[in-house]
Amino acid sequence: MLVAAAVCPCPPLLVPEVAQGAAPELEPLRAACSDAVAVLAAARPDRLAVLGPAEPAGRGAYQEGAAGSFRPFGVHLDVVLGRSGEEAEEGGAGRQLPASLAVGAWLLARTGWSAAPVEGLGVGEPLGVERCLQAGRELAASAERVALLVMGDGSARRSEKAPGYLDERAGPFDESVAAALAAADAAALATLDERLAAELLAAGRAPWQVLAGAAEGAGLSGTLLYDEAPYGVGYFVATWS
């Protein structure tokens, strides 16, 4: 059963070494993410799953100890999912974590996560609503006390300088997401239009709908900790518990 969830954005710029000169302006976002992870730890889960958008090669499950890297972003920084580097050396062989899960692993390491075993799930953007919901239900049923760290960005079309340029639909779309996250409204997340989300470059749509499936019947309450669009991309931090 799902006992807690944290929703965080997944830009590599969240990592100060990647952001470099821009690092200070994102410190409020990092602080909100740390607070959200603390809520997960306080829920004392038996299992933590980290979800995030992934390209085709990065989709699927990752075991604890899987390795990720920020070297593609020009930084000699490696991370592992839920373990120390020594433990990961043996258990982390295989595919590299997609960027979203690498950011999630970095967040867990930054906050000293030790509350429960960790696994990852790379979710493809084309995954349909019903399949997302079913994946969430299966995660929630996988242990007595399940927590989710859900990585994903809102629309990347919030301003003229945004990666996808300005789209007037982006603001209302992100407002609906923020309202659903604040209210822990799984039904509202489940109704997000996947085609519209894709057009607005909202990479979090599929992971949020996995959360919606996991939260069905859980009776959780929501808190929105952060809702801003630096660089023209919608970033949300929320907790459900």
Side-chain angles (χ1 to χ4, degrees), residues 26-37:
L26 291 180
E27 194 52 43
L29 174 57
R30 294 186 194 96
C33 290
S34 294
D35 290 345
V37 173

Side-chain angles (χ1 to χ4, degrees), residues 1 15 17 31-32 55 61 76 78 93 97 122 127-128 134 143 145 166 174 203 210 221 225:
M1 178 178 179
V15 180
E17 291 89 340
E55 297 296 328
H76 292 287
D78 300 318
L97 294 171
L127 195 65
Q134 185 57 34
R145 298 181 64 82
L166 177 65
D174 277 359
V210 174
S221 298
L225 303 178

Side-chain angles (χ1 to χ4, degrees), residues 140-234:
S142 65
E144 186 173 342
R145 298 181 64 82
V146 175
L148 300 181
L149 174 55
V150 184
M151 311 298 295
D153 301 343
S155 175
R157 305 191 70 175
R158 291 278 294 272
S159 72
E160 292 183 357
K161 294 185 178 180
Y165 195 69
L166 177 65
D167 189 311
E168 297 295 342
R169 301 171 298 172
F173 176 87
D174 277 359
E175 288 173 9
S176 70
V177 173
L181 294 176
D185 191 340
L189 289 183
T191 62
L192 291 176
D193 187 313
E194 57 189 286
R195 178 176 295 179
L196 177 61
E199 292 174 355
L200 295 177
L201 307 180
R205 190 276 308 172
W208 298 331
Q209 290 185 322
V210 174
L211 166 61
E216 289 176 357
L220 303 180
S221 298
T223 301
L224 188 65
L225 303 178
Y226 187 96
D227 175 14
E228 300 289 346
Y231 320 121
V233 182

